[in-house]
Amino acid sequence: MTRRRWRITLLAALATIGAIYPATTLFADNSWLGPVTFIVALVAGLGLAGRGLTRSRGLVVLAQVLVTGYVVLARWTGDSFTLFLPTPATLEAANLLGLQALDTVTRYSVPAPLNDGITFCLVIAVAVVAIAVDAMAATWRSPAAAGLPLLTAYLITTMNSNDVLALRYFVVPVLLWLVMLHTTARAQFGQWGTANSADHSDIDEAAHDRDALRSFTAGALKLGAAGVMVALIVPAVIPHFPPRYLTEGLGRSGDGGGEGSVGFNDTLDLSRSLNNQDQSPVLTYTTTAFTRAPLRVLATSYYSRGQWLVASSTGTRPESPPPLPSLDRRRDYVITVSDNTLAAPRIAAPYPVVAVAMEGTPWSIDPVTRDVRVGRAVSSYRVTYADLAPSPPQLREAGAPDSPDITDDDLSIPDSSRELVQRWSDEVTRGQGNELDKAIAIQDHLRDTSRYTYSLDLGEPRRDAQGRILEPIQNFYETRRGYCVQFATAMIMMARAQGIPARMAIGFLPGQLSGERYVVRASDAHAWPELYFQGYGWLRFEPTPGARAGTPPPYAVLGSDSGPTQGGRGVTESASRSATSVARTTAAAPTVAPVPQQRGVLDRIGAFLTVRNLAVAVAVVVGLLAAFSMPITAWLVRLRRRRAAVTQQDLIEAEWDDLTSHLGDLGILAPDGVTLRQLRERYVGEGHLDEEHATAMRRVTATLEKSRYDRPERTTQQEASRLHDDIRSIRRQVGRTRAWPTRVRSFFWPAAGVSFWRSLPQRLLSRRR
């Protein structure tokens, strides 16, 4: 293996790591870097070993694919192995990991949590990139082509990042790629040299070659620098395209604008979601009500690490939604929707839904949240909904919340923010004696524009004294800046701190009148809190200030004693009951990937040191030692003999024995009874040595003759060093002329190692004697 090939392999590995390192911005935990770095190193090592054993490029890549694939499967699906071999159950285990990764990617926004599925898929993706880069740069010696997989790895990160990546993420892999180009081009240019030691010319051709090489190097550096500058300047002057995230808390309008072109995911990220300013229409509607309510799409009570997630309930789910208040305590209205582009399984409607009418489309109402789910996207539908507007005195007398509809999630507060939220909430609700007055105090506090600022630009997240990014609730408390998601989350957490069940609702503002219909656009996306009051269920509040916020309902206005809303054309009691009778209440519980807890270094080490992992590690080590026992033994024997050499003559003899042994392993045996010069010609002929290496062989034998027959002091150290270099060059040249099975056999079964182990019993017996 030449020094230059080692250099290219190392540069390819470093460039791969540099290209995939920006992906650390996509995940909350960077523990995946360790396995990924190991895989890149494994691919590089396999490439070096393969290129040293065979000239077949396909075999080198095949070995990298097979060995790397086996190591990855053994690490993540080793439980399904039988006798250290994959089984059909291995494919099933790998498929489950892939499904886990897919579920995480589609449900979480950046930075997404890390789990085994994500790590498994990351390792596979990086292994593919590493093999491609190593094959192009080192095996095929085409580092220019290696830029394609490097660019692909980098673009995957840029297309899913929250923001523009830092400059260092781009510069590092580009510089490494340019160094690869320079190294390979310099080597190829050096082969064009015109200097010849046999020439006798007045012109120093070697000097001309050196000057040409320096000129070539300078030109390449200038060209590379110009390319990097163009790559940095062009993005600053051309418009930026919107990024494509791993997932959106709220789906954004697509390009086509056709049916189902806007979609909701089950994740709402406090750091980015619902700040869309797209003016694309989502739906149009008419309503029988004079006052318009927000159109809710989904609701959730589960909050974790800065994200609202639609999670399946851990307890027993009811078979049907809880009953609504009686007709004398509510008014029913109808909304008729057309030109709907909201993707299945969601539709938008005011809360709470009484009945749904859509022909030919299966639908259901979630028994916990009353979210309406459809089997496929619909362009039009009609919904009957209830207007719950109890008076403040009624809510003040409702009593403490006590209902089986309330879950632990409805009162949960993150441990990292519990103390802050409790102190904040107690300060805001001081002096209030009941749940309604506390809720109104929290709402009015957050709507106070002298304290808080509505803005879609959250700015840079703040960090604590240890440099860690603050939890989003803490960040909002310090900056007092945000939009609907941050304000709604703050009210939910402060209400929970006062013992009031609260959850997050996500949907749209009522939209604007256009002709005879109201138009709801993607920019109307909105979030608001719902608080539970005994006897009335979940009621909407509006803590968000600013133009892009809803109007608080009458019961949430301090001092209002208004009763139920009287505006609009009510739905008759018989019609309402008829519509209710056809409501289908079977709903599939939405699921969400579990959020992994952050583990310390000792925990990760302990998790790795399982019996299975230790058994796999021991088996791998034993297998490697068994496979490489003879090459290692031969290397140690040669090393020991060189170190035992006292004079230059001893060292030269050791080097010659090493050469004859290695050539014998390659099939060129030294017959008995031949002279040194006859053996030299045999090596030159059967080794297919070119003129350069034939000359090197003659220098080797000449140095050996001088060492044997001349006075010892006349053999210099420089001659011994030159002989060592010539022998290494001859060994490589002869190896290139042999078939790959011969090269493999000579590597794994060298005569020096075999003779050592065969003579070991006799040598041990001699020592005993």
Side-chain angles (χ1 to χ4, degrees), residues 279 283-285 292 295 509-521 523-524 547-549:
Q279 297 299 311
L283 57 86
T284 60
Y285 71 92
R292 296 172 296 122
L295 280 64
L509 294 172
Q512 299 296 322
L513 184 63
S514 177
E516 296 182 353
R517 308 183 68 83
Y518 292 96
V519 179
V520 176
R521 305 182 185 278
S523 58
D524 292 322
R548 290 184 60 179

Side-chain angles (χ1 to χ4, degrees), residues 641-706:
R641 185 170 180 182
R642 290 194 188 98
R643 290 183 175 179
V646 177
T647 63
Q648 296 297 331
Q649 287 77 8
D650 295 337
L651 183 59
I652 290 174
E653 290 291 345
E655 294 282 2
W656 175 255
D657 290 343
D658 182 20
L659 175 62
T660 56
S661 176
H662 181 72
L663 296 182
D665 294 334
L666 293 175
I668 308 177
L669 300 177
D672 297 333
V674 296
T675 65
L676 181 59
R677 298 190 179 188
Q678 290 173 334
L679 183 59
R680 177 190 65 193
E681 297 305 320
R682 180 183 179 88
Y683 286 155
V684 170
E686 296 189 14
H688 304 290
L689 298 180
D690 55 20
E691 184 61 31
E692 176 184 354
H693 292 89
T695 302
M697 176 62 76
R698 296 186 182 96
R699 281 198 303 267
V700 168
T701 54
T703 303
L704 182 61
E705 288 177 339
K706 182 179 179 181

Side-chain angles (χ1 to χ4, degrees), residues 425-581:
S425 177
D426 291 342
E427 178 183 346
V428 172
T429 61
R430 185 178 294 114
Q432 306 300 329
N434 59 77
E435 283 74 11
L436 176 63
D437 292 335
K438 291 180 180 180
I440 293 176
I442 296 171
Q443 174 186 265
D444 292 347
H445 172 79
L446 293 172
R447 289 179 66 88
D448 187 351
T449 55
S450 65
R451 291 189 176 98
Y452 297 91
T453 301
Y454 180 91
S455 175
L456 295 178
D457 183 10
L458 301 180
E460 289 294 327
R462 297 195 176 185
R463 299 178 181 269
D464 58 16
Q466 288 74 35
R468 296 170 297 187
I469 295 179
L470 291 178
E471 207 275 341
I473 297 175
Q474 299 175 351
N475 190 78
F476 176 72
Y477 176 79
E478 292 194 6
T479 62
R480 305 296 175 103
R481 182 187 187 92
Y483 45 90
C484 58
V485 180
Q486 290 73 33
F487 284 96
T489 301
M491 181 167 184
I492 291 170
M493 295 304 167
M494 285 196 283
R496 290 178 177 182
Q498 298 301 315
I500 307 173
R503 67 187 184 187
M504 175 70 78
I506 308 166
F508 297 97
L509 294 172
Q512 299 296 322
L513 184 63
S514 177
E516 296 182 353
R517 308 183 68 83
Y518 292 96
V519 179
V520 176
R521 305 182 185 278
S523 58
D524 292 322
H526 190 53
W528 61 90
E530 291 180 348
L531 278 59
Y532 190 90
F533 287 84
Q534 191 67 25
Y536 295 91
W538 296 94
L539 299 179
R540 176 177 66 90
F541 285 79
E542 187 53 75
T544 305
R548 290 184 60 179
T551 302
Y555 54 79
V557 179
L558 188 60
S560 173
D561 292 328
S562 62
T565 302
Q566 299 299 318
R569 303 185 300 276
V571 180
T572 63
E573 182 177 351
S574 61
S576 176
R577 289 179 179 176
S578 176
T580 306
S581 65

Side-chain angles (χ1 to χ4, degrees), residues 200-285:
H200 300 281
S201 174
D202 295 334
I203 302 176
D204 190 351
E205 298 289 350
H208 277 273
D209 289 345
R210 289 192 297 271
D211 292 339
L213 183 58
R214 282 194 294 269
S215 177
F216 170 80
T217 301
L221 291 176
K222 291 178 181 178
L223 184 61
V228 174
M229 293 300 297
V230 170
L232 296 177
I233 294 174
V234 170
V237 298
I238 64 173
H240 287 256
F241 294 98
R244 304 294 183 185
Y245 297 102
L246 280 176
T247 181
E248 300 282 358
L250 174 70
R252 307 188 179 196
S253 62
D255 299 332
E259 185 176 279
S261 64
V262 176
F264 277 79
N265 284 322
D266 293 346
T267 305
L268 186 67
D269 187 351
L270 266 67
S271 65
R272 181 179 49 80
S273 301
L274 294 186
N275 59 355
N276 188 13
Q277 303 184 57
D278 188 0
Q279 297 299 311
S280 302
V282 176
L283 57 86
T284 60
Y285 71 92

